[in-house]
Amino acid sequence: MQNRTLILLQWLAMALTVTFGMVAGEYFKPFNVSYDHRALIIDGQRRMLISAGIHYPRATPEFNSILPSQDVLSIYLAIYNAVSLPLPDFIQMWPDLIAKSKEGGANAVQTYVFWGGHELVKGQYNFEGRYDLVKFVKLVGSSGLYLHLRIGPYVCAEWNFGGFPVWLRDIPGIVFRTDNAPFKEEMQRFVKKIVDMMREESLFSWQGGPIIMLQIENEYGNIEGSFGQKGKDYVKWAAEMAVGLGAGVPWVMCKQTDAPEYIIDACNGYYCDGFKPNSNKKPILWTENWDGWYTNWGGSLPHRPVEDLAFAVARFYQRGGSFQNYYMFFGGTNFGRTSGGPNIITSYDYDAPLDEYGLLSQPKWGHLKDLHAAIKLCEPALVAAESAQYIKLGSMQEAHVYQGNKSICSAFLANIDEHKTITVQFLGQYYTLPPWSVSILPDCKNVVFNTAKVGAQTSIKVVDFEPTLSAKTSTPNHFMIQKEVPLISESWMTFKEPIGAWGDDNFTFKGVLEHLNVTKDQSDYLWYITRIYVSDEDVLHWEENASNPSLVIDSMRDLVRIFINGKLIGSARGDWVKVVQKVQFKQGYNDLVLLSETVGLQNYGAFLEKDGAGFQGQITLTGFKNGDVNITHSPWTYQVGLKGEFLKLYATEDNKSSGWTNLTDEDVPSALSWYKTYFDSPGGKDPVVLDFSSMGKGEAWVNGHHIGRYWTLVAPKDGCQETCDYRGAYGSEKCNTNCGNPTQIWYHVPRSWLQPSDNLLVLFEETGGNPFEISVKTVSVKTVCGHMSEDYYPPVDMWAQPNYSNMKPVVQLQCEDGYKIESIEFASYGTPQGTCQAFSTGNCHATNSSAILSKVCEGKNSCKIEVSNSVFGDPCPRTVKTLAVKAKCKPSSSSSSSTQWYGGLSDI
């Protein structure tokens, strides 16, 4: 697998370049970027661009904490160049994600810029760690990829407050995203800062950097009408302001039909093949191809079939598109309190080609890789032709032909019928088109790819336990004995969070204050405390009528917990819902405490500055003898946040103090409790997750890093399909999975946040989960499968070979880096049945299938084998044969990353 080795070598060099400064200067020779009606023009040439959406804060840039010296790294690089070594343990996520995007066929990367993460406090900037934007851009450049930087600065992105810093709403007279002077002043200041920073670091294309395009605003057309004329004026101002910054590359506005003539308007959606910009002088750009969807707490998991996704992409380029970005190519994780929504989960996996942990999601990644290779083969014709020649092939079948000159011709044949396979005649030949598919012909004759025919391998990921070094339960050889249920720890400590006011900074005010006006989003939590007097007559009234009073809150978001005299009596959750809670009071004074909680701030819509949290309307006590009691304007005492947050119980420094006590089985479950323990890292380098299926709702920290909110809400049992039919238009409710199960139980802990042992885990648990049942696990690909018929297409990457049309299809199996194929679990050339998890032989079966696959593949990281009679013999003449194979992968510190190829009768 020479390509793979080269990519990994480039990846290592890229990481060394950026981290240690081994190479300085330009990433490209300086070039200009312009555009015409057909495409972006890069260094004088039109280009077809495929972009991978990656959000830098949703992954980690760090290398592991224990780094080899620069000399050792240099030696390693030299050795790595000469022989196949395993993937180095010290490489971390950003370089890996960029390298896998490039290997998957992307020639560009796209990211938002997250204002709220860079400027949490006005005038105090954070460009470090996960927010090191310059480092991320340089990594992209050093990989040879272009970058589309979407400054916004409104991003939506299922990010807290749409990416705005919360302090912005407190500026007097401000109205977001309209012709409003306070907002425009702050917006221009931040956009200018980012553009100036990129220029100072020489990161624009004309400076030799990777940035070829910028974006101002984001999907503003969706809400522009809410602002009337001021909205239209704002669009013009934002465009003029952006261009006036002198970045020297084109600017984009997505979903903005009234974008000025010097700004490219672009499309977002599941399908953009019918999109046309507002001027015939602008190219067709697709800034967000939604290859999945986000997930809410208590919801099922969206899944977009790769056949439909490939169909949408192929149709886009078929009908004149020239730039397409996958939103997301890698989704990542909403670490800390960054998820918006509200109620969007911590995982931002997005069903993307690279999963939350950076592992390949197969077959999605592999099928798209083949698609991208096919589009690249067509690029000479696509950029040479001013437009496509349209040919109608049937009632729902059509061809688009791109002709540069007599020797350059590429074609796309589409069947948009959702049900029928159709055979069409095109340029004198017949082609069979599956339903809802596009066939790609780089030479207008030979099909190299069809969107509905998946030849990429399937990978089965598992979440399981890995042995760890442990001093607590050691054997003579110091290796841990795996228990039946290897829990993270048997020793926990606890700290009880006080109910109500706990600090000197609480204050009292007559009336119910809006949640965000008080907390400034410094915490999810705000305590509302008041005192209720109950007379003897009220108590007698309730006893005589066998009734109880009720607490009524007109409107509430996102969650409230209700306490009477220190006891939790009820909770409610929802998006501005009415709350009616039966309560019991004693005679005399009673303490009523409301704990208001946010679960991420609103990230979408007009007038975000007016959107708040907590309570709206009146708060009333009903059922008293003399009628209802309105307590809205009573004296309320306010306490922001939790005492444990104030004490920084999650921090690694001096964590042994602060009143921790040993936790016993009798103490569990206990609501509003802090828990902590120490654990050892799992062996190997597979991604690490914590299994919180035994917990309720809360937040978690590892070694002081906030890994996010957790919540074990269960998805409805209904709404998922037993079989997923890719055919027909996709929507976020189609092909969902995980119904009837908790939405999320596994929480990503980046390896770079861990040390070999004594990792501090701290939880704040609200509802009373059991920390003794938490476990630490790893995510890995242990099973890979191939399934391909002998009438499939030869590999796209072999197109340049002169005898391509006579080549046979090839099954490729590949374990993750650092793994090798241990054994062939199933193999059958003939008429095998079933899918990866349950293959079986059919009536026709070549008995030598397993032996041949074992010889070619075992002990290798990857292998290729022809699907042909010349390899396996012909077990059933005059029958189209299929090869199905299932292989088991296992870690190997010495596995080769080269590819074993078995084609015909030769083994090379």
Side-chain angles (χ1 to χ4, degrees):
M1 178 127 162
Q2 295 173 344
N3 257 358
R4 181 75 165 169
T5 303
L6 180 60
I7 287 288
L8 293 177
L9 182 57
Q10 291 172 340
W11 173 34
L12 181 59
M14 169 178 63
L16 295 172
T17 298
V18 175
T19 304
F20 296 100
M22 291 175 68
V23 180
E26 300 164 349
Y27 301 108
F28 305 91
K29 291 181 179 180
F31 61 94
N32 290 321
V33 181
S34 59
Y35 59 87
D36 62 11
H37 73 285
R38 185 65 188 95
L40 290 178
I41 299 173
I42 296 178
D43 199 19
Q45 301 293 323
R46 289 174 176 167
R47 291 297 308 275
M48 295 291 110
L49 297 174
I50 296 167
S51 172
I54 302 173
H55 293 160
Y56 53 96
R58 284 174 159 142
T60 56
E62 300 95 338
F63 290 60
N64 277 347
S65 55
I66 303 175
L67 280 172
S69 68
Q70 186 169 337
D71 289 341
V72 172
L73 287 171
S74 301
I75 294 171
Y76 191 97
L77 181 60
I79 297 174
Y80 189 86
N81 194 26
V83 297
S84 295
L85 287 179
L87 192 68
D89 287 339
F90 48 81
I91 298 297
Q92 278 299 313
M93 288 191 76
W94 281 359
D96 183 37
L97 299 172
I98 296 167
K100 287 177 177 175
S101 299
K102 182 175 182 177
E103 186 186 358
N107 49 19
V109 167
Q110 180 199 89
T111 188
Y112 280 126
V113 178
F114 294 87
W115 187 3
H118 290 299
E119 195 178 2
L120 276 170
V121 178
K122 184 176 180 179
Q124 298 180 21
Y125 295 101
N126 172 27
F127 288 97
E128 298 179 351
R130 291 186 295 115
Y131 291 95
D132 192 341
L133 175 60
V134 167
K135 182 183 217 178
F136 181 79
V137 176
K138 288 182 176 180
L139 282 169
V140 172
S142 63
S143 72
L145 300 182
Y146 303 124
L147 183 78
H148 178 205
L149 192 65
R150 305 174 77 188
I151 301 177
Y154 167 73
V155 299
C156 187
E158 290 71 61
W159 195 267
N160 193 54
F161 211 42
F164 286 136
V166 176
W167 55 259
L168 195 65
R169 72 195 293 271
D170 294 329
I171 293 176
I174 198 165
V175 182
F176 291 1
R177 306 176 71 196
T178 188
D179 188 15
N180 171 266
F183 177 76
K184 291 193 298 182
E185 179 181 347
E186 294 298 332
M187 174 177 169
Q188 181 171 358
R189 178 181 58 81
F190 182 75
V191 174
K192 183 177 185 301
K193 180 172 184 63
I194 297 301
V195 171
D196 289 348
M197 180 183 294
M198 297 301 105
R199 185 189 296 109
E200 289 165 4
E201 295 287 343
S202 298
L203 295 175
F204 288 112
S205 63
W206 51 272
Q207 299 173 299
I211 300 175
I212 60 170
M213 192 162 53
L214 299 170
Q215 179 176 301
I216 194 68
E217 252 302 337
N218 185 48
E219 296 186 342
Y220 186 70
N222 293 358
I223 65 166
E224 183 177 342
S226 301
F227 300 101
Q229 184 59 44
K230 284 194 171 185
K232 298 180 182 298
D233 294 341
Y234 169 70
V235 171
K236 295 178 182 178
W237 171 84
E240 292 173 358
M241 180 271 290
V243 173
L245 296 175
V249 296
W251 286 83
V252 171
M253 284 181 166
C254 61
K255 301 191 83 168
Q256 195 64 49
T257 57
D258 61 348
E261 67 276 7
Y262 49 87
I263 301 287
I264 307 172
D265 56 310
C267 182
N268 293 353
Y270 291 117
Y271 307 92
C272 283
D273 56 284
F275 171 77
K276 299 297 180 185
N278 62 11
S279 167
N280 58 13
K281 298 179 180 179
K282 301 177 184 180
I284 301 173
L285 309 184
W286 190 359
T287 39
E288 290 186 17
N289 176 4
W290 302 331
D291 53 13
W293 202 241
Y294 59 85
T295 307
N296 291 297
W297 295 113
S300 54
L301 303 181
H303 166 64
R304 186 177 185 187
V306 70
E307 297 95 330
D308 173 69
L309 178 58
F311 171 77
V313 174
R315 286 286 285 166
F316 176 72
Y317 289 98
Q318 174 181 2
R319 300 183 68 187
S322 60
F323 173 97
Q324 179 266 152
N325 171 74
Y326 292 100
Y327 190 101
M328 303 294 298
F329 202 79
F330 163 79
T333 307
N334 293 314
F335 296 114
R337 297 169 52 250
T338 57
S339 64
N343 294 311
I344 289 170
I345 67 172
T346 296
S347 170
Y348 201 65
D349 182 86
Y350 220 86
D351 194 39
L354 299 177
D355 73 6
E356 178 180 2
Y357 318 107
L359 300 175
L360 305 184
S361 290
Q362 296 278 37
K364 184 168 276 191
W365 183 87
H367 192 52
L368 294 177
K369 177 183 179 181
D370 290 342
L371 168 64
H372 303 154
I375 293 171
K376 186 175 181 180
L377 291 174
C378 298
E379 185 173 20
L382 290 171
V383 300
E386 296 303 313
S387 62
Q389 176 191 1
Y390 175 80
I391 303 174
K392 192 167 182 62
L393 302 176
S395 60
M396 303 183 76
Q397 296 76 39
E398 58 189 22
H400 289 74
V401 181
Y402 290 88
Q403 184 86 44
N405 52 49
K406 290 184 179 180
S407 63
I408 300 177
C409 181
S410 294
F412 296 76
L413 311 183
N415 178 14
I416 59 176
D417 190 300
E418 298 179 18
H419 306 288
K420 298 177 182 177
T421 297
I422 302 293
T423 298
V424 299
Q425 186 176 16
F426 171 70
L427 299 184
Q429 296 189 46
Y430 289 93
Y431 299 87
T432 299
L433 307 179
W436 202 252
S437 77
V438 176
S439 289
I440 299 179
L441 293 66
D443 59 355
C444 288
K445 294 180 182 179
N446 295 293
V447 177
V448 298
F449 181 86
N450 178 273
T451 59
K453 295 183 176 182
V454 180
Q457 75 176 35
T458 297
S459 297
I460 306 299
K461 298 168 190 172
V462 295
V463 178
D464 57 9
F465 305 94
E466 290 290 346
T468 61
L469 291 172
S470 174
K472 301 180 182 67
T473 54
S474 59
T475 62
N477 61 3
H478 305 293
F479 281 91
M480 180 177 147
I481 299 174
Q482 287 294 94
K483 301 179 182 179
E484 185 176 353
V485 182
L487 304 176
I488 192 171
S489 176
E490 296 179 354
S491 176
W492 285 84
M493 301 193 78
T494 185
F495 175 92
K496 189 66 179 175
E497 179 68 30
I499 296 170
W502 49 262
D504 295 335
D505 58 347
N506 66 74
F507 65 93
T508 301
F509 179 83
K510 271 197 169 187
V512 175
L513 297 174
E514 193 274 322
H515 182 115
L516 282 183
N517 284 340
V518 181
T519 67
K520 309 303 182 186
D521 198 37
Q522 297 302 302
S523 169
D524 279 356
Y525 305 97
L526 176 62
W527 300 94
Y528 292 73
I529 308 154
T530 193
R531 181 159 285 188
I532 308 298
Y533 180 77
V534 174
S535 67
D536 291 335
E537 290 80 6
D538 289 321
V539 174
L540 182 61
H541 171 72
W542 298 328
E543 291 175 351
E544 290 176 347
N545 292 278
S547 64
N548 290 103
S550 293
L551 172 71
V552 179
I553 302 172
D554 282 353
S555 186
M556 180 279 308
R557 193 181 82 182
D558 302 323
L559 193 148
V560 62
R561 304 198 187 279
I562 304 166
F563 301 83
I564 301 292
N565 299 322
K567 181 180 179 181
L568 177 66
I569 62 155
S571 301
R573 63 183 175 91
D575 187 4
W576 299 124
V577 296
K578 185 174 184 178
V579 178
V580 179
Q581 173 67 50
K582 292 287 187 182
V583 295
Q584 285 187 325
F585 289 123
K586 66 181 181 180
Q587 189 280 326
Y589 287 100
N590 295 261
D591 290 327
L592 170 63
V593 177
L594 307 178
L595 177 58
S596 172
E597 304 179 18
T598 55
V599 191
L601 303 184
Q602 186 72 25
N603 66 272
Y604 179 79
F607 306 109
L608 275 182
E609 73 284 348
K610 296 180 180 179
D611 193 86
F615 313 123
Q616 290 182 348
Q618 306 296 304
I619 300 180
T620 308
L621 293 170
T622 64
F624 279 65
K625 181 180 180 181
N626 296 324
D628 296 348
V629 180
N630 190 325
I631 58 175
T632 309
H633 301 290
S634 298
W636 290 84
T637 297
Y638 295 86
Q639 178 72 66
V640 175
L642 308 170
K643 184 175 183 180
E645 290 177 306
F646 174 78
L647 295 174
K648 296 184 178 180
L649 295 181
Y650 49 81
T652 54
E653 299 86 4
D654 195 28
N655 198 272
K656 296 180 181 179
S657 60
S658 306
W660 290 99
T661 59
N662 289 325
L663 180 69
T664 65
D665 291 336
E666 291 74 23
D667 298 326
V668 177
S670 178
L672 297 184
S673 295
W674 292 82
Y675 300 117
K676 78 166 181 177
T677 193
Y678 292 88
F679 69 97
D680 295 342
S681 297
K685 55 178 176 285
D686 293 324
V688 177
V689 295
L690 294 175
D691 186 336
F692 285 163
S693 55
S694 66
M695 303 305 291
K697 177 184 180 297
E699 300 180 34
W701 294 260
V702 171
N703 292 332
H705 297 280
H706 196 338
I707 65 171
R709 302 181 183 95
Y710 65 84
W711 203 353
T712 48
L713 284 182
V714 176
K717 293 183 179 180
D718 300 325
C720 294
Q721 300 78 34
E722 289 187 11
T723 58
C724 174
D725 188 345
Y726 76 88
R727 299 172 299 178
Y730 177 77
S732 60
E733 300 302 316
K734 181 180 179 181
C735 295
N736 284 2
T737 64
N738 201 49
C739 288
N741 297 312
T743 304
Q744 183 175 357
I745 61 172
W746 299 317
Y747 293 82
H748 182 206
V749 184
R751 283 270 183 185
S752 58
W753 291 358
L754 294 171
Q755 51 201 24
S757 61
D758 294 324
N759 296 285
L760 173 65
L761 170 62
V762 176
L763 311 174
F764 173 64
E765 169 59 40
E766 299 176 26
T767 63
N770 185 356
F772 285 110
E773 296 181 7
I774 293 174
S775 56
V776 58
K777 301 179 179 180
T778 57
V779 184
S780 59
V781 174
K782 295 292 180 65
T783 301
V784 295
C785 295
H787 188 267
M788 186 178 290
S789 297
E790 60 177 331
D791 60 357
Y792 193 77
Y793 314 112
V796 184
D797 58 8
M798 301 296 289
W799 173 258
Q801 301 295 324
N803 60 338
Y804 177 82
S805 60
N806 296 321
M807 290 183 177
K808 303 298 182 182
V810 173
V811 162
Q812 176 171 326
L813 300 178
Q814 179 179 313
C815 298
E816 283 287 328
D817 297 313
Y819 277 74
K820 68 178 181 180
I821 297 172
E822 179 185 29
S823 59
I824 300 298
E825 305 288 288
F826 176 90
S828 177
Y829 179 72
T831 57
Q833 307 296 311
T835 58
C836 184
Q837 298 280 42
F839 281 137
S840 62
T841 55
N843 295 328
C844 169
H845 168 66
T847 57
N848 59 353
S849 303
S850 184
I852 291 175
L853 266 297
S854 296
K855 177 183 177 183
V856 174
C857 297
E858 287 181 3
K860 301 293 180 180
N861 170 259
S862 63
C863 60
K864 295 179 180 179
I865 191 163
E866 280 188 3
V867 184
S868 67
N869 293 335
S870 61
V871 174
F872 296 97
D874 190 351
C876 42
R878 295 178 299 280
T879 299
V880 177
K881 269 76 68 179
T882 295
L883 174 63
V885 57
K886 176 180 178 181
K888 181 179 179 181
C889 298
K890 76 169 186 177
S892 173
S893 59
S894 60
S895 64
S896 170
S897 59
S898 62
T899 297
Q900 186 80 9
W901 181 300
Y902 195 84
L905 297 177
S906 61
D907 185 354
I908 56 177

